[in-house]
Amino acid sequence: MIGLAALLTLTGCGLSGGQPSASEKVADTNQRIVVDNFRAPVANWALESDAAYILSLSGCLETLTKYDAAQGKVVPFLATEWKQVSPLEWDFTIRDGVTFQDGTELTAESAAASLNSVLKAKVPARAFGPSTVSSVQATDAKTVRVTTPAESPLVPFRLASVNTGILAPAAYQGATVDPFGHCTGPFTPVSEKAKQSLTLDRNPNYWGGEVKLAGAEVRFITNGATRAAQVQTGEADISLSIPASSLSSLQTAPEVSVLKADSPRTATLYMNNGRAPFNNVEFRKALRSALDLEALAASVYEGAALPATGPFARSEPWASPEASSPKQNVEEAKKLLADAGYSADRPLEIIAIVERAEFADVATVIQDNLKGIGVPVSIHAKEYASAEPDVLAGNYDMILSQRNRLIDIADPIGFLTADYTCKGTYNLSHFCNEEYDQLIATAARTSNTEERYKLYAQAGAILDDQAVNLWLVNEQATDAIRSNVLSYVQDPLSRYVLTAQTAKSGS
């Protein structure tokens, strides 16, 4: 596989001078840490939901395999090795000496049972569902066999999805999933304040070695400015997803370091292709021609993001080399509107997700651009959790959101399948195209990486040609940490924050 390390280059800036370097500071194992995260868990901790990301970044939930962004490949985690034993079967060998936080042993049987709970969920996980996995079973005490309906070279990638995290059998005894005390990771959840925070203690029996922190509190802070303020004042030790508007103050703040990494994230204006007037491709193209992406990137994002070139970033190895950012052309937009037969009989609604502080300003810029071609727009701010049911059901016009293309599975197949195939489980756009679906089905069976990437590029070209959505800017992952946080490694895919190695000095 072409390494994604090239996409995920880590940089740091903003640490004030005159302080001891990280190498000079000594970890205090009695310290606890506070992390401000941008989203709260939903769905009663069901692993097929986005709650799995909270459990993973909190150092509780672990998977059979793990995607290492620096190496650009899948590496062992709770499984030590794997092999394809037939065109449709993969065997994973369970690591020896791993116990759940309730003291029970990790076995192939318990791992298979946990995976089956996700596989049989009413709403399947985007990376691990019946369309891609036929069955999971323990073939002996140490081997889990994953069977697929069609040959799939990406099964190890799917087992690295946080949605396939392994919990102890006791986690599934009630009506809902209970991760408390039932993970394998370095930190054990001990209490929660609904929609506010999760408190964790050190797992003293962690299979991966000494845990350097006594515990942690993960806070769910949807307001980006608040996350930035709390790391600046010291109320938080780590704040995730810092908005562009807060960068200048943090980069000069004492005792704070800003970490940036290129990431496969694109701020996107999703359009409901199944609803008038968005079911007309000429109308969608008109909106695209009306937007000034360069001005948007320079103003709202203060140069911390680049104008999008379509569904992929230009730097991604599967992006078409011919892709370029669309330029604003008001006259062309007006002509396309006329060709579409559009009449402004009602204001169109943009939902701006409040978890991304900058989206309020982005929506205002879009509103002004569209007003210039005679398309009236109203703006409504909502938390994503409250907006998602209507969006998935098709009861919306447009929604501003940010999609990390590699978060479900560290290969575009997950994003391209879930978001844009006719039966995609995260098809916010309600787009359906037979040619596109055939391309994705072929790519899913293609083991040669170069050939698979060419198919991804062709699929992206269809999405761009159909103007399925308005891809606005390619963003960086931006976190901020206090200077007494040690051994923190930024994960651009937002899966791992607290690890056994994460530490904090006493001063």
Side-chain angles (χ1 to χ4, degrees):
M1 173 180 179
I2 295 175
L4 285 176
L7 299 177
L8 308 174
T9 306
L10 180 66
T11 62
C13 56
L15 185 62
S16 64
Q19 302 296 328
S21 68
S23 61
E24 295 172 326
K25 293 184 177 181
V26 177
D28 179 351
T29 57
N30 293 315
Q31 291 287 321
R32 302 181 70 88
I33 206 166
V34 175
V35 177
D36 279 2
N37 186 48
F38 58 88
R39 185 177 295 176
V42 295
N44 295 315
W45 298 111
L47 295 192
E48 66 272 14
S49 75
D50 285 351
Y53 300 107
I54 306 295
L55 293 173
S56 177
L57 71 86
S58 300
C60 169
L61 191 66
E62 297 182 323
T63 48
L64 294 189
T65 65
K66 182 177 182 178
Y67 183 77
D68 187 308
Q71 298 185 62
K73 66 179 183 180
V74 176
V75 298
F77 208 11
L78 294 180
T80 55
E81 60 182 358
W82 50 89
K83 59 183 178 180
Q84 188 172 14
V85 295
S86 79
L88 303 182
E89 296 172 318
W90 288 78
D91 282 356
F92 293 79
T93 303
I94 298 299
R95 184 180 296 276
D96 288 325
V98 178
T99 58
F100 291 105
Q101 293 162 357
D102 60 12
T104 57
E105 181 186 2
L106 171 66
T107 63
E109 184 177 356
S110 59
S114 189
L115 291 171
N116 274 313
S117 72
V118 173
L119 185 61
K120 296 174 182 178
K122 184 177 181 181
V123 179
R126 294 188 287 269
F128 198 82
S131 64
T132 53
V133 175
S134 301
S135 65
V136 181
Q137 60 181 325
T139 58
D140 58 40
K142 287 295 177 183
T143 306
V144 172
R145 176 164 294 173
V146 176
T147 304
T148 57
E151 186 168 4
S152 173
L154 295 172
V155 170
F157 283 79
R158 296 189 181 281
L159 271 296
S161 164
V162 295
N163 297 116
T164 66
I166 306 299
L167 295 176
Y172 304 100
Q173 298 305 308
T176 58
V177 174
D178 178 15
F180 285 69
H182 302 313
C183 294
T184 60
F187 295 97
T188 304
V190 292
S191 65
E192 68 172 314
K193 294 180 181 178
K195 296 187 177 181
Q196 295 183 53
S197 64
L198 177 67
T199 300
L200 306 104
D201 287 344
R202 171 194 289 129
N203 175 8
N205 300 311
Y206 181 52
W207 65 268
E210 180 188 9
V211 180
K212 300 295 179 65
L213 288 169
E217 180 185 11
V218 178
R219 296 175 181 166
F220 312 128
I221 309 291
T222 59
N223 186 285
T226 302
R227 292 194 302 276
Q230 288 194 351
V231 76
Q232 186 167 350
T233 61
E235 293 176 76
D237 300 291
I238 301 171
S239 284
L240 306 178
S241 191
I242 298 298
S245 58
S246 299
L247 286 179
S248 58
S249 60
L250 284 181
Q251 286 172 340
T252 57
E255 301 293 335
V256 175
S257 180
V258 175
L259 304 179
K260 298 179 181 179
D262 290 340
S263 75
R265 296 176 175 175
T266 299
T268 302
L269 182 65
Y270 289 86
M271 298 181 290
N272 185 354
N273 287 214
R275 179 178 187 169
F278 303 95
N279 56 356
N280 187 314
V281 66
E282 302 302 316
F283 177 78
R284 300 196 300 268
K285 288 181 176 180
L287 299 196
R288 181 172 65 187
S289 293
L291 299 188
D292 188 343
L293 300 187
E294 290 183 359
L296 177 67
S299 60
V300 176
Y301 289 90
E302 301 181 21
L306 294 174
T309 57
F312 303 129
R314 187 182 286 107
S315 59
E316 292 175 286
W318 42 79
S320 171
E322 289 82 31
S324 61
S325 300
K327 305 297 182 183
Q328 185 182 45
N329 188 328
V330 173
E331 293 309 311
E332 179 183 79
K334 290 179 178 178
K335 180 181 183 303
L336 287 165
L337 279 184
D339 292 343
Y342 169 74
S343 60
D345 56 352
R346 66 179 179 92
L348 303 176
E349 180 185 89
I350 293 179
I351 300 171
I353 299 303
V354 299
E355 286 89 340
R356 303 290 176 182
E358 65 276 11
F359 279 173
D361 292 334
V362 172
T364 300
V365 171
I366 293 173
Q367 182 184 51
D368 185 62
N369 284 168
L370 297 188
K371 181 181 178 181
I373 62 168
V375 177
V377 168
S378 63
I379 301 170
H380 294 268
K382 289 185 181 180
E383 290 190 358
Y384 181 77
S386 65
E388 185 183 64
D390 280 341
V391 173
L392 286 172
N395 300 322
Y396 85 106
D397 287 330
M398 297 175 280
I399 182 170
L400 269 171
S401 190
Q402 181 211 67
R403 181 77 160 117
N404 186 325
R405 286 180 289 282
L406 303 182
I407 196 161
D408 298 327
I409 171 177
D411 181 278
I413 195 68
F415 160 77
L416 294 171
T417 302
D419 291 37
Y420 295 110
T421 58
C422 294
K423 295 183 179 179
T425 57
Y426 199 66
N427 190 342
L428 304 185
S429 316
H430 299 273
F431 171 73
C432 183
N433 179 283
E434 183 177 346
E435 180 187 358
Y436 174 88
D437 279 16
Q438 289 175 348
L439 269 175
I440 297 305
T442 302
R445 298 190 299 267
T446 302
S447 58
N448 182 279
T449 301
E450 297 287 349
E451 292 303 315
R452 192 166 70 249
Y453 285 3
K454 289 178 182 177
L455 292 170
Y456 294 158
Q458 292 176 40
I462 291 175
L463 298 177
D464 193 45
D465 179 66
Q466 293 294 305
V468 175
N469 289 320
L470 303 183
W471 295 281
L472 305 175
V473 297
N474 295 317
E475 301 185 47
Q476 287 186 307
T478 307
D479 302 337
I481 66 172
R482 299 289 298 177
S483 61
N484 59 351
V485 175
L486 309 177
S487 302
Y488 175 73
V489 178
Q490 186 185 26
D491 175 22
L493 300 184
S494 304
R495 303 149 306 170
Y496 314 115
V497 174
L498 295 175
T499 69
Q501 292 75 39
T502 309
K504 184 177 176 182
S505 68
S507 60

